[in-house]
Amino acid sequence: MHSPMEQFEIKRLLNFHIGSLDASFTNSALWMVVAVALATVVFVFGMSRRAMVPGRLQATAELGYEFIAGMVRDNVGNAGRKYFPFIFTLFVFILFCNLLGLVPYAFTPTSHIIVTFAMALVVFLGVTVIGFVRHGAHFLSFFVPKGVPLVLLLLLVPIEVISYFVRPFSLSIRLFANMLAGHTMLKVFGGFVVMLGLYAGWAPLAFIIAFTGLELLIAFLQAYVFAILTCLYLNDAIHLSH
Amino acid sequence: METPERDPEGERQRLDDLDARLKKARGPEVRPTQDMRVSHRETGVAYRVLVDMIAGLLVGGFLGYWLDRWQGWAPWSLIGGLIVGFAAGANNAWRAIRVYSDQADKGGNRLP
Protein backbone atom coordinates (compact mmCIF):
# COMPACT_ATOMS: atom_id res chain seq x y z
CA MET A 1 0.00 0.00 0.00
CA HIS A 2 1.15 3.52 -0.74
CA SER A 3 2.00 5.92 2.03
CA PRO A 4 -0.45 8.84 2.38
CA MET A 5 2.36 11.28 1.65
CA GLU A 6 3.30 9.70 -1.65
CA GLN A 7 0.77 11.80 -3.53
CA PHE A 8 2.85 14.90 -2.79
CA GLU A 9 6.02 13.53 -4.35
CA ILE A 10 7.55 15.68 -7.07
CA LYS A 11 8.47 13.68 -10.17
CA ARG A 12 10.55 14.92 -13.07
CA LEU A 13 8.73 14.44 -16.33
CA LEU A 14 11.22 16.18 -18.63
CA ASN A 15 14.77 16.88 -17.61
CA PHE A 16 16.14 20.38 -18.10
CA HIS A 17 19.32 21.70 -16.60
CA ILE A 18 20.48 25.26 -17.01
CA GLY A 19 24.01 25.24 -15.64
CA SER A 20 23.66 23.94 -12.09
CA LEU A 21 19.99 24.93 -11.96
CA ASP A 22 17.52 22.06 -12.15
CA ALA A 23 14.66 23.47 -14.23
CA SER A 24 13.02 20.14 -14.99
CA PHE A 25 9.38 20.03 -15.96
CA THR A 26 7.73 18.23 -13.03
CA ASN A 27 4.27 16.88 -12.33
CA SER A 28 3.70 19.99 -10.20
CA ALA A 29 4.52 22.21 -13.18
CA LEU A 30 2.32 20.07 -15.42
CA TRP A 31 -0.73 20.56 -13.20
CA MET A 32 -0.08 24.28 -12.96
CA VAL A 33 -0.08 24.37 -16.75
CA VAL A 34 -3.31 22.37 -16.79
CA ALA A 35 -4.88 24.82 -14.31
CA VAL A 36 -3.84 27.83 -16.41
CA ALA A 37 -5.03 26.18 -19.62
CA LEU A 38 -8.38 25.19 -18.16
CA ALA A 39 -8.94 28.62 -16.63
CA THR A 40 -8.14 30.21 -19.98
CA VAL A 41 -10.59 27.89 -21.73
CA VAL A 42 -13.35 28.63 -19.23
CA PHE A 43 -12.96 32.39 -19.45
CA VAL A 44 -12.17 32.75 -23.16
CA PHE A 45 -14.77 30.28 -24.39
CA GLY A 46 -17.26 31.34 -21.74
CA MET A 47 -17.14 34.94 -22.85
CA SER A 48 -16.75 34.32 -26.60
CA ARG A 49 -20.49 34.48 -27.32
CA ARG A 50 -21.24 37.46 -25.08
CA ALA A 51 -24.88 36.46 -24.94
CA MET A 52 -27.40 38.76 -23.29
CA VAL A 53 -28.79 35.75 -21.47
CA PRO A 54 -25.65 33.91 -20.39
CA GLY A 55 -25.22 30.18 -20.78
CA ARG A 56 -23.73 28.04 -18.04
CA LEU A 57 -20.09 28.72 -18.85
CA GLN A 58 -20.64 32.43 -19.37
CA ALA A 59 -22.60 32.66 -16.11
CA THR A 60 -19.68 31.00 -14.32
CA ALA A 61 -17.19 33.41 -15.82
CA GLU A 62 -19.36 36.42 -15.03
CA LEU A 63 -20.03 35.22 -11.50
CA GLY A 64 -16.30 34.89 -10.82
CA TYR A 65 -15.60 38.31 -12.29
CA GLU A 66 -18.33 40.05 -10.31
CA PHE A 67 -17.33 38.27 -7.14
CA ILE A 68 -13.72 39.43 -7.23
CA ALA A 69 -14.60 42.86 -8.59
CA GLY A 70 -16.96 43.35 -5.66
CA MET A 71 -14.32 42.11 -3.23
CA VAL A 72 -11.73 44.57 -4.55
CA ARG A 73 -14.24 47.43 -4.53
CA ASP A 74 -15.39 46.71 -0.98
CA ASN A 75 -11.94 46.18 0.52
CA VAL A 76 -9.63 48.50 -1.39
CA GLY A 77 -12.01 51.02 -2.92
CA ASN A 78 -11.56 52.75 -6.25
CA ALA A 79 -7.79 52.95 -5.89
CA GLY A 80 -7.66 49.16 -6.04
CA ARG A 81 -9.29 48.93 -9.41
CA LYS A 82 -6.05 48.80 -11.36
CA TYR A 83 -4.87 45.84 -9.29
CA PHE A 84 -8.02 43.87 -10.07
CA PRO A 85 -6.46 41.84 -12.92
CA PHE A 86 -3.70 40.61 -10.61
CA ILE A 87 -6.05 39.63 -7.78
CA PHE A 88 -8.47 37.97 -10.17
CA THR A 89 -5.66 35.96 -11.80
CA LEU A 90 -4.34 34.94 -8.40
CA PHE A 91 -7.78 33.82 -7.24
CA VAL A 92 -8.56 31.86 -10.39
CA PHE A 93 -5.16 30.18 -10.46
CA ILE A 94 -5.37 29.06 -6.82
CA LEU A 95 -8.99 27.98 -7.23
CA PHE A 96 -8.23 25.86 -10.29
CA CYS A 97 -5.13 24.32 -8.69
CA ASN A 98 -7.16 23.44 -5.59
CA LEU A 99 -10.12 22.05 -7.50
CA LEU A 100 -8.05 20.07 -10.01
CA GLY A 101 -6.16 18.55 -7.09
CA LEU A 102 -9.39 16.86 -6.02
CA VAL A 103 -9.54 14.89 -9.27
CA PRO A 104 -8.21 11.37 -8.63
CA TYR A 105 -4.60 10.87 -9.79
CA ALA A 106 -4.13 14.60 -10.10
CA PHE A 107 -1.40 16.53 -8.32
CA THR A 108 -2.09 19.58 -6.15
CA PRO A 109 0.60 22.24 -6.67
CA THR A 110 -0.85 24.33 -3.83
CA SER A 111 -0.06 21.55 -1.35
CA HIS A 112 3.61 22.53 -1.62
CA ILE A 113 4.73 25.40 0.55
CA ILE A 114 7.27 26.59 -1.99
CA VAL A 115 4.46 27.26 -4.48
CA THR A 116 2.23 29.08 -2.00
CA PHE A 117 5.19 30.92 -0.49
CA ALA A 118 6.30 32.15 -3.92
CA MET A 119 2.82 33.57 -4.50
CA ALA A 120 2.68 35.09 -1.01
CA LEU A 121 6.13 36.62 -1.53
CA VAL A 122 5.03 38.23 -4.80
CA VAL A 123 2.04 39.72 -2.98
CA PHE A 124 4.19 40.86 -0.06
CA LEU A 125 6.92 42.48 -2.18
CA GLY A 126 4.39 44.00 -4.56
CA VAL A 127 2.36 45.52 -1.74
CA THR A 128 5.49 46.89 -0.07
CA VAL A 129 6.70 48.46 -3.33
CA ILE A 130 3.23 49.95 -3.95
CA GLY A 131 3.28 51.41 -0.43
CA PHE A 132 6.68 53.04 -0.91
CA VAL A 133 5.85 54.30 -4.42
CA ARG A 134 2.61 55.90 -3.26
CA HIS A 135 3.79 57.32 0.05
CA GLY A 136 7.59 57.45 -0.14
CA ALA A 137 9.31 57.34 3.23
CA HIS A 138 6.00 58.27 4.81
CA PHE A 139 5.03 54.60 4.37
CA LEU A 140 7.29 53.84 7.37
CA SER A 141 4.74 55.57 9.59
CA PHE A 142 2.70 52.40 9.06
CA PHE A 143 4.97 50.78 11.64
CA VAL A 144 4.51 53.53 14.23
CA PRO A 145 1.25 53.26 16.17
CA LYS A 146 -0.34 56.62 16.88
CA GLY A 147 -0.72 58.14 20.31
CA VAL A 148 1.85 55.98 22.08
CA PRO A 149 4.55 57.34 24.45
CA LEU A 150 8.10 57.29 23.09
CA VAL A 151 9.35 54.66 25.54
CA LEU A 152 6.72 52.16 24.45
CA LEU A 153 7.54 52.80 20.80
CA LEU A 154 10.92 51.12 21.35
CA LEU A 155 8.99 47.95 22.09
CA LEU A 156 6.05 48.38 19.72
CA VAL A 157 7.87 49.29 16.51
CA PRO A 158 9.82 45.99 16.36
CA ILE A 159 6.58 44.11 17.03
CA GLU A 160 4.83 45.99 14.23
CA VAL A 161 7.72 45.34 11.85
CA ILE A 162 7.75 41.63 12.65
CA SER A 163 3.95 41.47 12.31
CA TYR A 164 4.42 42.89 8.85
CA PHE A 165 7.05 40.30 7.95
CA VAL A 166 4.90 37.47 9.30
CA ARG A 167 2.31 38.17 6.60
CA PRO A 168 3.79 36.17 3.71
CA PHE A 169 4.36 33.24 6.07
CA SER A 170 0.85 33.15 7.47
CA LEU A 171 -0.57 33.65 3.97
CA SER A 172 1.37 30.73 2.51
CA ILE A 173 1.11 28.40 5.52
CA ARG A 174 -2.66 28.77 5.57
CA LEU A 175 -3.16 27.64 1.98
CA PHE A 176 -0.53 24.92 1.97
CA ALA A 177 -1.53 23.43 5.33
CA ASN A 178 -5.19 23.24 4.36
CA MET A 179 -4.42 21.46 1.11
CA LEU A 180 -1.85 19.13 2.65
CA ALA A 181 -4.06 18.15 5.58
CA GLY A 182 -7.15 17.60 3.43
CA HIS A 183 -5.43 15.41 0.87
CA THR A 184 -3.58 13.38 3.50
CA MET A 185 -6.84 12.79 5.32
CA LEU A 186 -8.54 11.58 2.13
CA LYS A 187 -5.67 9.21 1.44
CA VAL A 188 -5.60 7.85 5.00
CA PHE A 189 -9.30 7.07 4.91
CA GLY A 190 -8.87 5.61 1.44
CA GLY A 191 -6.36 3.24 3.01
CA PHE A 192 -8.93 2.30 5.67
CA VAL A 193 -11.39 1.31 2.95
CA VAL A 194 -8.88 -1.14 1.50
CA MET A 195 -7.85 -2.51 4.91
CA LEU A 196 -11.40 -3.08 6.15
CA GLY A 197 -12.46 -4.67 2.89
CA LEU A 198 -15.91 -5.49 1.63
CA TYR A 199 -17.63 -5.82 5.01
CA ALA A 200 -16.61 -2.76 7.02
CA GLY A 201 -15.02 -0.64 4.32
CA TRP A 202 -18.27 1.14 3.60
CA ALA A 203 -18.05 3.34 6.68
CA PRO A 204 -14.78 5.08 5.72
CA LEU A 205 -16.01 5.22 2.13
CA ALA A 206 -19.09 7.16 3.26
CA PHE A 207 -16.80 9.44 5.25
CA ILE A 208 -14.64 10.05 2.18
CA ILE A 209 -17.68 11.06 0.16
CA ALA A 210 -18.77 13.55 2.80
CA PHE A 211 -15.22 14.78 3.29
CA THR A 212 -14.77 15.37 -0.43
CA GLY A 213 -17.68 17.77 -0.22
CA LEU A 214 -15.95 19.61 2.59
CA GLU A 215 -12.72 19.64 0.59
CA LEU A 216 -14.56 21.29 -2.30
CA LEU A 217 -15.68 24.01 0.09
CA ILE A 218 -12.15 24.40 1.47
CA ALA A 219 -10.67 24.55 -2.05
CA PHE A 220 -12.90 27.51 -2.76
CA LEU A 221 -12.57 29.08 0.68
CA GLN A 222 -8.77 29.06 0.67
CA ALA A 223 -8.61 30.69 -2.77
CA TYR A 224 -11.06 33.26 -1.43
CA VAL A 225 -9.06 33.86 1.75
CA PHE A 226 -5.83 34.30 -0.23
CA ALA A 227 -7.50 36.84 -2.50
CA ILE A 228 -9.21 38.77 0.27
CA LEU A 229 -6.05 38.97 2.40
CA THR A 230 -4.21 40.29 -0.66
CA CYS A 231 -6.94 42.94 -0.88
CA LEU A 232 -6.58 43.82 2.81
CA TYR A 233 -2.77 44.13 2.53
CA LEU A 234 -3.17 46.25 -0.57
CA ASN A 235 -5.63 48.46 1.27
CA ASP A 236 -3.12 48.91 4.11
CA ALA A 237 -0.44 49.98 1.64
CA ILE A 238 -2.67 52.34 -0.31
CA HIS A 239 -4.55 53.96 2.54
CA LEU A 240 -1.99 53.49 5.32
CA SER A 241 -4.77 52.35 7.64
CA HIS A 242 -4.14 50.18 10.62
CA MET B 1 -68.45 21.18 -9.65
CA GLU B 2 -66.48 24.36 -10.15
CA THR B 3 -67.77 27.00 -12.48
CA PRO B 4 -65.47 27.84 -15.44
CA GLU B 5 -65.32 31.60 -14.67
CA ARG B 6 -63.57 31.98 -11.31
CA ASP B 7 -63.69 34.96 -9.07
CA PRO B 8 -60.09 36.35 -8.95
CA GLU B 9 -60.71 38.35 -5.78
CA GLY B 10 -62.00 35.31 -3.91
CA GLU B 11 -59.10 33.25 -5.26
CA ARG B 12 -56.56 35.68 -3.85
CA GLN B 13 -58.32 35.79 -0.52
CA ARG B 14 -58.26 32.02 -0.39
CA LEU B 15 -54.51 32.02 -1.09
CA ASP B 16 -53.85 34.70 1.52
CA ASP B 17 -55.85 32.70 4.00
CA LEU B 18 -53.87 29.57 3.16
CA ASP B 19 -50.62 31.53 3.53
CA ALA B 20 -51.65 32.80 6.94
CA ARG B 21 -52.60 29.32 8.08
CA LEU B 22 -49.32 27.88 6.81
CA LYS B 23 -47.36 30.55 8.64
CA LYS B 24 -49.25 29.79 11.83
CA ALA B 25 -48.60 26.08 11.46
CA ARG B 26 -44.86 26.64 10.93
CA GLY B 27 -44.61 28.71 14.08
CA PRO B 28 -42.49 31.84 14.51
CA GLU B 29 -40.08 32.46 11.68
CA VAL B 30 -36.52 31.26 12.21
CA ARG B 31 -33.66 31.68 9.82
CA PRO B 32 -31.23 28.80 10.12
CA THR B 33 -29.30 29.90 7.02
CA GLN B 34 -28.40 33.12 8.75
CA ASP B 35 -27.00 31.28 11.77
CA MET B 36 -25.11 28.85 9.53
CA ARG B 37 -23.47 31.72 7.77
CA VAL B 38 -22.40 33.35 11.00
CA SER B 39 -20.91 30.15 12.36
CA HIS B 40 -19.10 29.57 9.08
CA ARG B 41 -17.66 33.02 9.25
CA GLU B 42 -16.53 32.48 12.80
CA THR B 43 -14.77 29.26 11.83
CA GLY B 44 -12.95 31.17 9.11
CA VAL B 45 -11.85 33.85 11.55
CA ALA B 46 -10.73 31.25 14.07
CA TYR B 47 -8.55 29.53 11.46
CA ARG B 48 -7.02 32.83 10.42
CA VAL B 49 -6.19 33.73 13.99
CA LEU B 50 -4.66 30.32 14.66
CA VAL B 51 -2.38 30.48 11.63
CA ASP B 52 -1.45 34.08 12.38
CA MET B 53 -0.26 33.19 15.86
CA ILE B 54 1.65 30.09 14.77
CA ALA B 55 3.32 31.97 11.92
CA GLY B 56 4.33 34.75 14.33
CA LEU B 57 5.98 32.25 16.65
CA LEU B 58 7.73 30.52 13.73
CA VAL B 59 9.11 33.72 12.24
CA GLY B 60 10.20 35.11 15.61
CA GLY B 61 11.79 31.82 16.60
CA PHE B 62 13.57 31.48 13.28
CA LEU B 63 14.93 35.05 13.46
CA GLY B 64 16.15 34.46 17.01
CA TYR B 65 17.76 31.14 16.08
CA TRP B 66 19.49 32.71 13.11
CA LEU B 67 20.76 35.60 15.25
CA ASP B 68 22.06 33.07 17.79
CA ARG B 69 23.98 31.20 15.12
CA TRP B 70 25.31 34.39 13.60
CA GLN B 71 26.26 36.36 16.72
CA GLY B 72 26.63 33.53 19.22
CA TRP B 73 24.15 34.98 21.70
CA ALA B 74 22.58 31.61 22.44
CA PRO B 75 20.03 31.22 23.80
CA TRP B 76 19.03 34.82 24.46
CA SER B 77 18.04 35.96 20.99
CA LEU B 78 15.99 32.79 20.52
CA ILE B 79 14.08 33.59 23.69
CA GLY B 80 13.69 37.22 22.71
CA GLY B 81 12.69 36.26 19.16
CA LEU B 82 10.02 33.88 20.41
CA ILE B 83 8.57 36.56 22.70
CA VAL B 84 8.56 39.25 20.00
CA GLY B 85 7.23 36.72 17.45
CA PHE B 86 4.41 35.78 19.78
CA ALA B 87 3.58 39.45 20.29
CA ALA B 88 3.63 40.00 16.51
CA GLY B 89 1.35 37.02 15.93
CA ALA B 90 -1.03 38.20 18.64
CA ASN B 91 -0.95 41.67 17.06
CA ASN B 92 -1.95 40.26 13.67
CA ALA B 93 -4.63 38.09 15.27
CA TRP B 94 -5.99 41.05 17.19
CA ARG B 95 -6.19 43.06 14.00
CA ALA B 96 -8.07 40.26 12.20
CA ILE B 97 -10.54 39.99 15.08
CA ARG B 98 -11.02 43.74 15.21
CA VAL B 99 -11.88 43.94 11.50
CA TYR B 100 -14.35 41.13 12.02
CA SER B 101 -15.99 42.64 15.08
CA ASP B 102 -16.26 46.05 13.39
CA GLN B 103 -18.12 44.40 10.55
CA ALA B 104 -20.31 42.47 12.94
CA ASP B 105 -21.18 45.72 14.69
CA LYS B 106 -22.17 47.24 11.38
CA GLY B 107 -24.33 44.20 10.73
CA GLY B 108 -22.39 43.36 7.59
CA ASN B 109 -22.31 39.81 6.36
CA ARG B 110 -18.90 39.88 4.76
CA LEU B 111 -16.12 37.55 5.67
CA PRO B 112 -13.10 39.46 6.89
Side-chain angles (χ1 to χ4, degrees):
Chain A
M1 187 133 46
H2 296 313
S3 117
M5 300 311 271
E6 202 189 276
Q7 55 178 326
F8 303 114
E9 224 166 81
I10 299 272
K11 296 186 189 83
R12 285 189 191 82
L13 301 178
L14 297 170
N15 276 304
F16 285 121
H17 289 274
I18 305 165
S20 60
L21 183 75
D22 185 0
S24 300
F25 191 77
T26 60
N27 52 351
S28 176
L30 173 71
W31 282 97
M32 284 192 239
V33 170
V34 171
V36 170
L38 205 65
T40 311
V41 166
V42 166
F43 284 95
V44 171
F45 272 83
M47 294 314 291
S48 63
R49 283 181 54 211
R50 290 192 181 78
M52 202 55 196
V53 179
R56 252 173 271 172
L57 210 57
Q58 191 184 341
T60 313
E62 283 178 2
L63 203 69
Y65 178 92
E66 302 248 315
F67 181 62
I68 302 298
M71 181 200 284
V72 174
R73 195 174 49 238
D74 289 350
N75 289 294
V76 196
N78 276 336
R81 208 175 264 169
K82 57 178 154 177
Y83 306 108
F84 166 76
F86 173 70
I87 294 169
F88 187 60
T89 310
L90 200 63
F91 172 76
V92 170
F93 178 68
I94 296 172
L95 182 66
F96 273 73
C97 282
N98 290 354
L99 288 179
L100 280 171
L102 285 173
V103 176
Y105 298 104
F107 182 86
T108 324
T110 41
S111 66
H112 278 259
I113 192 158
I114 191 67
V115 174
T116 60
F117 188 68
M119 289 190 286
L121 207 60
V122 169
V123 169
F124 176 75
L125 291 178
V127 161
T128 310
V129 168
I130 288 166
F132 274 113
V133 166
R134 287 186 83 102
H135 302 284
H138 189 63
F139 182 61
L140 292 174
S141 73
F142 183 70
F143 301 113
V144 185
K146 287 177 200 76
V148 175
L150 203 64
V151 186
L152 268 180
L153 277 184
L154 286 175
L155 188 66
L156 286 180
V157 170
I159 291 177
E160 288 286 342
V161 171
I162 291 197
S163 317
Y164 190 74
F165 280 94
V166 165
R167 283 172 168 189
F169 293 95
S170 62
L171 198 56
S172 54
I173 290 173
R174 187 161 16 238
L175 177 56
F176 130 86
N178 269 287
M179 289 300 121
L180 188 80
H183 284 262
T184 311
M185 190 90 143
L186 280 176
K187 195 74 173 205
V188 166
F189 275 82
F192 286 168
V193 175
V194 177
M195 278 195 289
L196 294 174
L198 211 52
Y199 298 108
W202 300 101
L205 188 66
F207 176 82
I208 287 179
I209 292 168
F211 195 72
T212 306
L214 184 70
E215 275 299 292
L216 269 176
L217 176 78
I218 288 176
F220 171 78
L221 205 67
Q222 288 308 314
Y224 171 76
V225 166
F226 204 100
I228 202 160
L229 285 177
T230 305
C231 285
L232 291 180
Y233 296 162
L234 200 59
N235 182 43
D236 282 348
I238 290 177
H239 297 119
L240 278 189
S241 56
H242 264 290
Chain B
M1 283 299 284
E2 230 174 323
T3 48
E5 68 268 21
R6 287 189 217 158
D7 167 24
E9 196 53 47
E11 194 90 337
R12 194 178 309 144
Q13 211 164 15
R14 206 168 57 87
L15 280 175
D16 282 349
D17 185 43
L18 181 68
D19 200 36
R21 271 187 295 152
L22 271 174
K23 263 193 186 138
K24 218 172 107 189
R26 284 198 188 117
E29 201 171 343
V30 284
R31 291 204 174 140
T33 49
Q34 198 75 11
D35 292 343
M36 282 272 282
R37 215 170 338 161
V38 166
S39 76
H40 241 134
R41 202 168 44 158
E42 276 154 8
T43 322
V45 174
Y47 267 123
R48 259 193 73 186
V49 167
L50 180 74
V51 174
D52 273 336
M53 298 194 75
I54 293 172
L57 265 182
L58 282 179
V59 172
F62 178 77
L63 274 180
Y65 179 73
W66 174 76
L67 212 62
D68 272 345
R69 293 279 299 265
W70 184 41
Q71 292 282 345
W73 291 343
W76 299 110
S77 58
L78 180 63
I79 295 170
L82 282 174
I83 292 171
V84 174
F86 176 75
N91 186 19
N92 276 344
W94 161 243
R95 228 175 258 164
I97 295 168
R98 206 176 48 180
V99 169
Y100 163 70
S101 74
D102 282 354
Q103 278 174 4
D105 285 347
K106 278 186 220 144
N109 250 333
R110 277 183 4 224
L111 263 147

